[in-house]
Amino acid sequence: MARGRRALDRIDGEAGHNVIAALADIAPDFATYVIEFPFGDIYSRPGLDLRSREIATIAALTALGNASPQLKVHIQAGLNVGLSREEITEVIMQMAVYAGFPAALNGLFAAKAVFAEADAKADEARSV
């Protein structure tokens, strides 16, 4: 659990904590599972660095085509672990080959929204 919390902080940051908090009143055990398994066990394994894991996650969520909220969280996570906007965009575009144009389009629009939100937060921070 502690390892999972540390990984969640590093990878998803505030967005990850928002997901966990949103589960508290409906499925607190599921929130625990999310912390323990994906973050405490899988993301914390050796063998792939966090950048590679987020590339795989962004690709998979894009290919699903129906996981926009989760995709947005992981696009931000990709930025958090050092992926560039260009790398994220390229990963999503590649999914057009394997998952089709509609899934890639949905992914690109999710990325556009995340990038715009990041820009707005950066502008706000500069004006303070």
Side-chain angles (χ1 to χ4, degrees):
M1 179 63 106
R3 183 175 57 221
R5 286 190 188 282
R6 287 190 304 274
L8 180 69
D9 287 343
R10 181 168 180 217
I11 299 162
D12 285 350
E14 181 182 343
H17 288 282
N18 290 343
V19 170
I20 300 304
L23 291 169
D25 64 341
I26 188 169
D29 289 341
F30 196 79
T32 299
Y33 303 152
V34 169
I35 294 168
E36 290 178 341
F37 180 61
F39 292 96
D41 292 335
I42 301 300
Y43 269 93
S44 297
R45 292 178 52 79
L48 287 176
D49 62 14
L50 292 178
R51 286 174 44 86
S52 299
R53 290 188 187 280
E54 282 305 324
I55 287 170
T57 303
I58 291 166
L61 291 171
T62 298
L64 284 173
N66 63 356
S68 183
Q70 295 81 14
L71 178 57
K72 288 177 180 178
V73 167
H74 283 281
I75 290 168
Q76 183 60 56
L79 295 171
N80 293 348
V81 300
L83 293 176
S84 70
R85 291 177 182 202
E86 181 180 11
E87 289 171 316
I88 292 168
T89 300
E90 288 297 324
V91 167
I92 294 169
M93 287 175 55
Q94 184 167 332
M95 291 306 98
V97 176
Y98 299 98
F101 274 78
L105 283 167
N106 290 343
L108 289 168
F109 287 127
K112 183 177 180 175
V114 171
F115 298 160
E117 185 176 329
D119 290 342
K121 284 182 180 178
D123 289 345
E124 183 179 308
R126 280 192 292 270
S127 68
V128 173

